[in-house]
Amino acid sequence: MTRVVVPVRYPLSKHSRATLEEAVRVARERDAELTVLHVDLYQSNRGVTRTELKRAVEAEFGPLVRARYVVRRGFLVEETILEEVAAEEADIVVIGSKQASRWRRMLRRFLDDPDIDVFLREKLDCTVITVRADD
């Protein structure tokens, strides 16, 4: 079965809602499992729970079939997302354009030409869909 991972902020921002909307559409279209991921940074320690994340998502989109809600703690959002994508063996990752920009900056430290789509496809064997929310 196809697995879709979508990292989001909590509380849901306008950009997170747009990214999540696309992830829900892709998951429904492909009859896929959906993992909604929030990274709670150690340095912020907001104590976000899976229940809070699920309620926020369902308030926007209603109950989602085959969805799981994951809150991970980490020091770096991008690294924690990559770890979750690898652990889930995701087939598709849906990220917001702002997140893609942060990943590019992070990868620039390690690579000469950081193309996040190519990096994820080669390293994690998944498709990356980047969503741009209207500002």
Side-chain angles (χ1 to χ4, degrees), residues 32-44:
E33 293 177 348
L34 176 67
T35 298
V36 180
L37 170 66
H38 171 72
V39 178
D40 196 11
L41 295 173
Y42 282 115
Q43 54 272 38
S44 300

Side-chain angles (χ1 to χ4, degrees), residues 28-95:
R28 285 180 177 153
E29 180 180 277
R30 299 179 189 214
D31 197 30
E33 293 177 348
L34 176 67
T35 298
V36 180
L37 170 66
H38 171 72
V39 178
D40 196 11
L41 295 173
Y42 282 115
Q43 54 272 38
S44 300
N45 194 20
R46 294 179 47 199
V48 177
T49 67
R50 288 178 58 243
T51 301
E52 291 169 326
L53 180 60
K54 181 178 180 182
R55 282 187 187 139
V57 171
E58 289 184 348
E60 290 286 328
F61 299 95
L64 300 175
V65 179
R66 285 192 303 280
R68 85 188 260 273
Y69 301 87
V70 177
V71 176
R72 295 281 182 244
R73 305 245 359 242
F75 286 107
L76 294 172
V77 172
E78 297 80 8
E79 182 180 24
T80 306
I81 291 169
L82 289 173
E83 288 171 356
E84 184 66 24
V85 168
E88 287 281 320
E89 297 180 357
D91 300 293
I92 301 168
V93 180
V94 181
I95 59 173

Side-chain angles (χ1 to χ4, degrees), residues 4 18-32 34 61 64 94 129 131:
V4 178
T19 303
L20 192 50
E21 183 176 9
E22 178 64 10
V24 168
R25 186 194 67 74
V26 168
R28 285 180 177 153
E29 180 180 277
R30 299 179 189 214
D31 197 30
L34 176 67
F61 299 95
L64 300 175
V94 181
I129 299 171
V131 177

